[in-house]
Amino acid sequence: MFSPANSWRDYSRRLLREDFSAALVVSVLLIPQSLAYALLAGLPPQVGLYASLLPLLAYAFFGSSPVLGIGPVAVLALMISQALGALPAGVSPAEGALVLAVEVGLLMLLAAALRLDALASLLSVPVLHGFETGATLSIALSQLPPLLGSPGTAQLLQFEPTTTLFGVAALTLLVLARRSLSGQAARFAPLVILLLALGLAWGFEVQGRGVAVVGILPPLHLGLALPRLDGEIWSALLPHALLLALMAYVSSLVVAESLARRRGERVDARRELLGLGAANLVAGCSGAMPVASSFSRSVLMHDAGSRSRMTGVFVAVLMGLAAWLLAEPLAWLPKGVLAATILVAVLSGLRLQPYREAWRFSRPEALLMLLVTLTVLAWSLAAALALGVAGSIALLLQRTARPHVALIGRVPGTEHYRNVDRHQVECRADVLGLRIDESLVFTNARSLTDVVQLHVDHHPGTRRVVLLMSPVNSIDFSGLEALRELQTALQRQRVQLDLSEVKGPVLDRLRAGGWQQWFKGQVFLSHHQGMSGD
């Protein structure tokens, strides 16, 4: 449960005190969020509490980050809500959530067993930010009706005066607390506001005045059992589970790595898959919903001084006590107050600066980011994720489809060679020095001959071409065939092809491909030798 070097005997009282203190602070935030995110997913509120119990213990045992706040998450809650719309008739959302959690857990554990932690690269930073921004705005819009007591949608709002009063008052107090308070006061403010709303709702008996409240929570009962084994349900939810698993893993890994850099630690990507997979598997067998890490709770755990994954264990214990002791009072909590909690939580993370930065850096990536955001708002989360992955792959192929080959010359008085477009260099009229700036693989190999030929055409006196291969880290069979084709094309023009500074692994691959049988040029240890030799 700790780092390999630790044991229970090494876990000192000081660490216990710091972890328990951090857990207390995080639990204060997690209580209202657990209820709110369950309602956002279209599930009974107690499901959010259950998602904050045993799943945390599973992650603490298998995960690697000491500050990752596992539990219900706003973006995942919105994805769950859309996924549950695919349920067959007669299946309750709570039953569907259990199947969804188990499927997410099994997919993550399978990915960990197959060492597929590199799947995180499928979602680039622009796609991830565009998706999260779109989801944030979508969540905010979805909370306007419960905030105002409207039975309609965000496009056709109605007002229930008492509910609106509770919701807007809670929203105002939460925003003021976030802006004006700091330290422990800021952390405990949401719980104080929640308790104040509970007291007022109970004192004025608002349920009889048309105000929607959470309602009576059932007694704490985790219901340890397998979810419903129905092939129709499992097959209907599997595509959504794939997207949920990918989003949960990528977003959690980003948070874990970001906080690990602050602490001078490292995160094991495969163990994160194991930890999240185990947490979701346990969630599906304990009456909960799919879980992931929350950025706000994780940062709070870090700032509160969490030292080990025991913090998650203490959070689970405290949440269990809250579910046991507060079930009756929480029944009076107005749903408008929970909507205000969600609005403040999600909008606090809304950032538009990355759009401007991406536009300055790479307009295609900025457009992809914006397109993903608009797809979330206008269509669905699943379509936005699919578009983001496809768009990232398309941009990658566009960048790598034509290898960058630079004409290089010697820096005067040295043996260093640099790009002629960027430096004052010396070039030979009869020997053309070219540098291949990327690996030679199937995505770009077939363009190699065309790119080199353009340089040869601009230097008609060339009788030798020396390719500087030091940037080439790998070569596949397509790359091998591209070199053969290039040599053949140059031979027809009576131009010799030589290579320089070929890395050992690349040379091994060339030898394995039997290139000695057809390669007619020389391989030089340094590019300067290649340019000087005849």
Side-chain angles (χ1 to χ4, degrees):
M1 197 172 293
F2 316 106
S3 62
N6 287 341
S7 66
W8 281 105
R9 286 176 296 182
D10 298 323
Y11 191 64
S12 66
R13 291 183 178 178
R14 181 176 60 84
L15 291 178
L16 187 149
R17 183 172 61 253
E18 292 176 354
D19 283 346
F20 185 80
S21 175
L24 186 62
V25 171
V26 172
S27 299
V28 168
L29 177 65
L30 188 53
I31 292 171
Q33 283 190 354
S34 296
L35 299 170
Y37 294 160
L39 292 175
L40 176 61
L43 297 168
Q46 68 271 13
V47 172
L49 292 175
Y50 294 162
S52 306
L53 300 176
L54 296 187
L56 278 69
L57 302 182
Y59 177 82
F61 190 81
F62 291 102
S64 68
S65 173
V67 292
L68 211 58
I70 299 297
V73 181
V75 174
L76 248 64
L78 187 61
M79 295 180 72
I80 293 166
S81 174
Q82 292 192 3
L84 296 179
L87 284 173
V91 182
S92 70
E95 288 180 311
L98 299 182
V99 172
L100 204 56
V102 169
E103 286 185 330
V104 169
L106 290 176
L107 287 169
M108 287 183 168
L109 292 177
L110 178 62
L114 297 176
R115 299 186 180 275
L116 298 179
D117 43 88
L119 287 173
S121 60
L122 287 176
L123 290 182
S124 62
V125 171
V127 171
L128 192 61
H129 184 79
F131 182 86
E132 290 177 342
T133 302
T136 295
L137 295 174
S138 183
I139 290 169
L141 290 173
S142 72
Q143 294 310 296
L144 291 179
L147 181 78
L148 304 175
S150 171
T153 64
Q155 290 79 24
L156 187 62
L157 290 176
Q158 301 174 11
F159 296 89
E160 198 290 312
T162 310
T163 299
T164 301
L165 179 63
F166 269 95
V168 173
L171 182 65
T172 304
L173 290 175
L174 286 167
V175 171
L176 289 175
R178 185 176 288 271
R179 291 184 175 179
S180 59
L181 300 179
S182 60
Q184 296 290 346
R187 293 166 185 163
F188 281 88
L191 183 61
V192 173
I193 294 169
L194 182 146
L195 294 175
L196 178 63
L198 277 175
L200 290 173
W202 177 78
F204 289 97
E205 297 183 350
V206 297
Q207 191 171 5
R209 301 172 184 265
V211 176
V213 296
V214 169
I216 298 175
L217 299 178
L220 180 62
H221 176 63
L222 295 178
L224 298 177
L226 290 174
R228 185 170 168 180
L229 300 177
D230 185 322
E232 185 180 4
I233 301 174
W234 286 67
S235 60
L237 293 178
L238 183 58
H240 300 277
L242 283 166
L243 295 176
L244 271 168
L246 179 60
M247 187 63 196
Y249 173 56
V250 172
S251 60
S252 298
L253 188 61
V254 168
V255 173
E257 289 179 339
S258 173
L259 294 177
R261 285 193 292 271
R262 295 189 196 180
R263 298 164 65 95
E265 300 169 347
R266 69 177 295 273
V267 170
D268 187 326
R270 184 166 177 267
R271 281 189 60 190
E272 287 305 302
L273 262 180
L274 284 172
L276 290 167
N280 277 282
L281 193 59
V282 169
C285 297
S286 60
M289 59 193 281
V291 296
S293 75
S294 161
F295 181 75
S296 60
R297 290 198 300 270
S298 299
V299 171
L300 189 57
M301 284 180 69
H302 167 74
D303 293 343
S306 173
R307 298 292 299 277
S308 78
R309 292 190 301 282
M310 272 301 295
T311 302
V313 176
F314 291 139
V315 170
V317 172
L318 292 171
M319 290 298 296
L321 290 174
W324 181 35
L325 299 175
L326 299 180
E328 187 173 342
L330 286 174
W332 287 96
L333 183 63
K335 290 184 177 180
V337 175
L338 287 180
T341 302
I342 295 176
L343 275 170
V344 173
V346 299
L347 290 180
S348 63
L350 184 64
R351 295 183 301 126
L352 300 179
Q353 181 65 22
Y355 290 89
R356 292 191 290 270
E357 294 173 351
W359 184 258
R360 290 196 297 267
F361 181 78
S362 171
R363 292 191 176 181
E365 289 186 286
L367 290 174
L368 178 61
M369 185 189 300
L370 180 61
L371 190 57
V372 169
T373 300
L374 295 177
T375 303
V376 171
L377 293 172
W379 194 354
S380 71
L381 295 164
L385 269 182
L387 174 67
V389 171
S392 296
I393 294 173
L395 289 177
L396 175 63
L397 291 175
Q398 182 187 41
R399 286 192 296 267
T400 60
R402 192 172 179 85
H404 182 262
V405 178
L407 175 63
I408 56 177
R410 186 171 70 92
V411 178
T414 73
E415 295 183 2
H416 299 292
Y417 289 76
R418 295 294 183 267
N419 192 326
V420 298
D421 295 329
R422 300 178 182 274
H423 301 272
Q424 294 293 329
V425 294
E426 301 171 345
C427 296
R428 289 182 57 173
D430 59 336
V431 182
L432 197 61
L434 301 175
R435 186 186 66 224
I436 303 177
D437 286 334
E438 45 206 301
S439 295
L440 288 175
V441 293
F442 72 96
T443 56
N444 61 22
R446 68 179 58 184
S447 301
L448 178 63
T449 300
D450 295 336
V451 175
V452 173
Q453 187 63 52
L454 284 175
H455 288 287
V456 174
D457 291 342
H458 282 87
H459 299 83
T462 301
R463 60 186 180 85
R464 266 200 323 129
V465 172
V466 183
L467 291 184
L468 175 58
M469 300 280 285
S470 57
V472 178
N473 294 314
S474 63
I475 186 170
D476 63 7
F477 188 74
S478 298
L480 178 69
E481 288 299 303
L483 283 178
R484 190 204 298 257
E485 179 186 334
L486 175 61
Q487 179 179 257
T488 302
L490 292 177
Q491 278 182 331
R492 284 198 295 264
Q493 304 169 65
R494 301 183 182 227
V495 176
Q496 179 176 319
L497 175 64
D498 294 328
L499 307 179
S500 69
E501 301 185 22
V502 183
K503 290 183 176 178
V506 174
L507 197 57
D508 291 340
R509 299 302 302 159
L510 291 173
R511 288 169 179 159
W515 84 315
Q516 304 96 324
Q517 300 174 17
W518 53 263
F519 186 68
K520 307 301 182 184
Q522 300 182 66
V523 178
F524 294 94
L525 187 63
S526 73
H527 189 70
H528 184 65
Q529 291 176 354
M531 294 297 293
S532 303
D534 288 315

